[in-house]
Amino acid sequence: MSEDLKGKVALITGANKGIGYEIARQLGSRGATVLVGARDIGRGEEAANKLRSNQIDARTIQLDVIDQKTIDSASKQIESEFGKLDILVNNAGIASDGDRLPPSQVDIETLRHTYETNVFGVFAVIKTLLPLLKKSKAGRIVNLSSGLGSLTQNSDPNYEFANAKSLAYNSSKTAVNAITVLLAAELKDTSIKVNAADPGFTATDLNQHRGYRTVEQGAIAAVRLATLPDDGSSGGYFDENGVVPW
């Protein structure tokens, strides 16, 4: 096991499965202590046990991004046990069946429900944990976005996923990108870097495993952004091949 992240503490939301679990595994295999954020403590502990069986220092933290009480509790737990947070990966996200309709026919409640997790949840976690990230010598915030959040790509009729016009999901990821840019600007004079990662069309529960990329591939961009050097970018939008157009 590589130990280039030894002493680092990383929290990944929605880490009990899929891309979140794989990000935790890759960061943990490089020596980081990984905090498996999960709504269901049992599923989180099951994932953490699996990571520990691979000699990874993994702990479970109950965290539901739409429940501020659990976010506050997680923050207190991290402060008590570690006194800081080095890496925050906002991976938890949802997609709704009601979002498969043409944009004008999507129910407003579908939009609200999606934003509650994908946008407000991301902001709530960042806002609450930012004081702990500021205690790190080199804090890293990675927001899991999607190529579907790109306005440039959504406007391009030749885009690979030009027909995937899910109003709630796509626009929620556009909002995540905006949060990323604005927060990075606020923190530009600190050691914290904030970036958005596009994992690509990865086979997960979110898309009923229709994606053609593996979770190992889907985690590449996020792990790279979570481990940026001091002179790395901030306020950017990247997939594993480089910059994604806004």
Side-chain angles (χ1 to χ4, degrees):
M1 182 173 75
S2 167
E3 296 198 344
D4 63 324
L5 297 178
K6 194 164 183 64
K8 300 276 190 182
V9 180
L11 169 64
I12 304 95
T13 66
N16 57 289
K17 63 180 181 177
I19 295 173
Y21 176 85
E22 179 60 22
I23 292 169
R25 189 193 68 78
Q26 290 189 27
L27 293 175
S29 69
R30 290 173 58 174
T33 294
V34 292
L35 309 179
V36 177
R39 286 183 301 173
D40 184 303
I41 195 73
R43 290 177 182 173
E45 191 57 23
E46 189 179 325
N49 280 332
K50 191 174 171 185
L51 292 167
R52 286 192 286 266
S53 71
N54 290 311
Q55 287 72 56
I56 288 171
D57 182 10
R59 326 279 178 93
T60 309
I61 285 197
Q62 186 168 24
L63 198 163
D64 183 342
V65 302
I66 65 172
D67 183 347
Q68 186 63 46
K69 287 182 181 177
T70 70
I71 301 172
D72 291 339
S73 177
S75 178
K76 288 174 184 173
Q77 185 179 338
I78 296 167
E79 183 170 27
S80 172
E81 294 183 20
F82 305 102
K84 63 161 186 174
L85 181 63
D86 300 290
I87 297 167
L88 169 62
V89 181
N90 286 300
N91 166 73
I94 62 168
S96 172
D97 288 343
D99 207 18
R100 295 178 183 174
L101 299 169
S104 65
Q105 295 177 32
V106 172
D107 190 274
I108 190 71
E109 288 308 318
T110 296
L111 205 61
R112 285 197 179 101
H113 179 63
T114 304
Y115 271 57
E116 195 67 46
T117 296
N118 293 8
V119 182
F120 305 144
V122 167
F123 179 69
V125 171
I126 293 173
K127 184 176 176 67
T128 304
L129 295 175
L130 192 56
L132 288 173
L133 285 155
K134 287 180 175 177
K135 292 182 179 180
S136 170
K137 291 180 181 177
R140 301 289 180 263
I141 299 173
V142 182
N143 297 324
L144 264 289
S145 184
S146 166
L148 296 176
S150 166
L151 295 176
T152 298
Q153 291 179 162
N154 271 299
S155 303
D156 181 359
N158 296 314
Y159 173 44
E160 180 184 4
F161 301 108
N163 293 326
K165 293 289 190 285
S166 298
L167 177 67
Y169 183 80
N170 293 23
S171 66
S172 75
K173 292 304 184 179
T174 306
V176 166
N177 290 348
I179 289 171
T180 301
V181 169
L182 298 172
L183 191 64
E186 177 186 346
L187 298 172
K188 63 181 173 55
D189 295 324
T190 75
S191 61
I192 298 174
K193 298 189 184 301
V194 192
N195 290 287
D198 169 16
F201 193 31
T202 303
T204 67
D205 287 353
L206 189 81
N207 56 44
Q208 296 79 50
H209 294 266
R210 287 178 290 119
Y212 54 73
R213 288 168 57 78
T214 65
V215 288
E216 290 82 6
Q217 292 172 316
I220 291 173
V223 170
R224 188 177 294 159
L225 294 171
T227 56
L228 283 174
D230 292 342
D231 61 352
S233 301
S234 189
Y237 181 21
F238 304 92
D239 62 16
E240 67 187 76
N241 298 312
V243 174
V244 178
W246 297 112

